[in-house]
Amino acid sequence: MVMELSWLDDFLALVDSGNFSRAAEARHLTQPAFSRRIRALEDWVGTPLFDRAGQPVALTEAGRRFRPFADETARRLLQGREEARLAAQTEAATLRFAATHALSLTFFPHWLRTLESRARLGAITLASDSLEACERIMLAGQAQFLLCHAHAQSAAAGRLDADAFRSVVVGSDRLVPVTAPDGAGAPRHRLPGGDSAPLPHLSYSRESGMGRILEAVRASSPVPAVLDTVFTSHLAAVLRTMARDGRGVAWLPESLIGEDLGRGALVPAGEPHWSVPVQIRLIRPRSRQSKAAENFWTLAVEAALWRNADPAADSAPVAHPEPVAEKEL
């Protein structure tokens, strides 16, 4: 026999009133219907819970043993309902981001502070991973926004269809080919390399967004570099460490290696034209999102337009917000 949770409320109402008529009225039931429900609860327990011989109706010994469990169950159910509602409200107000590793370290904190100076944002969660993993997070609906590098010759996010997602440019950066210096401070490995002496290349894997960008740019380059890939990773921070160790040439975000360039731990491996300018894009689904997410999108787009209209308003270095108006993927 299946017990209905409403029977517990019936039970407690009869305990409180000691009278079937008053308890039935309090439960908005006819007395016969109320009595049937009490009897059904007793059948489920397997023993009478009330002594109906006198007035007021009294609990049997079994009923007295059962009462604290009924009280606790009803209380915990109400508490669970309130906690579930609160969790839903908190979840609806939380902003969920996915961002590539490099941007999580270099761009996201400053950009977020800039937006928080304009409006209160509330709770935020950030998933930091490769672009491929971030795309999966977006497609699964586990994040509302994706922050990634993009380039005109490479799709901002290859798995995110333009029919289902849109984006806005919120910053800029450059992928600079760098290497460790030799004893005289000159590049240990200098672009473009040659057929007889290809340069050791510290490469991004295909799951990296920067790897996709560089592959597309090199495919259209009139004078390609002659490279021999000796190490591969989707993490720019790992390639940075390997480059500082003199292992080869790596194209790294200027926002990540600014300090290394300043103190000479890394030096450009070639002339400025070997660098690749990139955008930083904020991507979202086209479908309607939570009120908090829609408010944030409006704030991010307005901040992008404002800074684009007044570049001097943002004195931050490369890779800090230098946005332009909203664009399609």
Side-chain angles (χ1 to χ4, degrees), residues 171-195:
S172 63
D173 205 344
R174 285 194 305 165
L175 301 181
V176 182
V178 292
T179 180
D182 60 19
R188 187 174 299 183
H189 308 286
R190 185 182 293 276
L191 289 166
D195 292 336

Side-chain angles (χ1 to χ4, degrees), residues 26-298:
R27 295 289 293 148
H28 305 289
L29 295 168
T30 65
Q31 183 173 333
F34 181 80
S35 296
R36 285 194 298 271
R37 286 162 62 140
I38 292 295
R39 182 66 67 187
L41 176 63
E42 290 176 320
D43 289 343
W44 179 82
V45 174
T47 187
L49 300 174
F50 293 95
D51 181 357
R52 296 165 171 79
Q55 287 293 331
V57 174
L59 287 168
T60 63
E61 181 59 28
R64 284 191 289 272
R65 295 287 186 93
F66 183 72
R67 179 178 180 176
F69 294 100
D71 279 327
E72 176 68 6
T73 301
R75 184 188 68 79
R76 292 295 299 272
L77 283 171
L78 289 173
Q79 180 183 3
R81 182 181 67 179
E82 292 307 310
E83 290 184 1
R85 289 175 175 176
L86 180 60
Q89 293 170 359
T90 302
E91 175 68 14
T94 298
L95 297 173
R96 303 188 306 277
F97 292 86
T100 54
H101 286 291
L103 291 177
S104 298
L105 293 171
T106 61
F107 177 82
F108 185 78
H110 175 275
W111 177 66
L112 202 60
R113 285 196 303 272
T114 301
L115 295 177
E116 285 175 329
S117 69
R118 299 167 64 87
R120 182 180 178 86
L121 300 184
I124 293 169
T125 63
L126 173 65
S128 178
D129 214 316
S130 66
L131 179 58
E132 186 173 290
C134 288
E135 289 171 344
R136 289 196 298 268
I137 290 171
M138 288 292 286
L139 289 169
Q142 296 170 344
Q144 299 154 324
F145 302 102
L146 167 59
L147 204 59
C148 65
H149 287 99
H151 189 275
Q153 292 175 252
S154 174
R159 297 183 61 192
L160 305 184
D161 185 16
D163 291 336
F165 294 87
R166 54 178 170 159
S167 71
V168 62
V169 178
V170 294
S172 63
D173 205 344
R174 285 194 305 165
L175 301 181
V176 182
V178 292
T179 180
D182 60 19
R188 187 174 299 183
H189 308 286
R190 185 182 293 276
L191 289 166
D195 292 336
S196 60
L199 300 182
H201 180 214
L202 309 174
S203 175
Y204 294 98
S205 62
R206 277 292 298 162
E207 60 195 278
S208 163
M210 287 180 284
R212 296 181 192 176
I213 290 170
L214 291 169
E215 183 177 315
V217 170
R218 290 191 193 112
S220 62
S221 176
V223 184
V226 182
L227 305 173
D228 176 25
T229 299
V230 296
F231 184 83
T232 301
S233 173
H234 69 274
L235 293 171
V238 172
L239 299 184
R240 172 194 184 191
T241 300
M242 298 294 284
R244 286 190 302 195
D245 199 40
R247 301 277 185 153
V249 177
W251 271 258
L252 297 173
E254 191 170 15
S255 56
L256 180 66
I257 59 170
E259 183 178 338
D260 293 322
L261 292 171
R263 60 188 179 87
L266 290 171
V267 295
E271 299 301 318
H273 71 269
W274 288 104
S275 296
V276 179
V278 291
Q279 302 168 337
I280 299 171
R281 282 187 175 268
L282 180 69
I283 301 172
R284 60 155 290 175
R286 289 187 178 276
S287 58
R288 185 77 180 175
Q289 302 200 85
S290 69
K291 181 179 179 182
E294 293 295 341
N295 288 342
F296 177 83
W297 176 256
T298 299

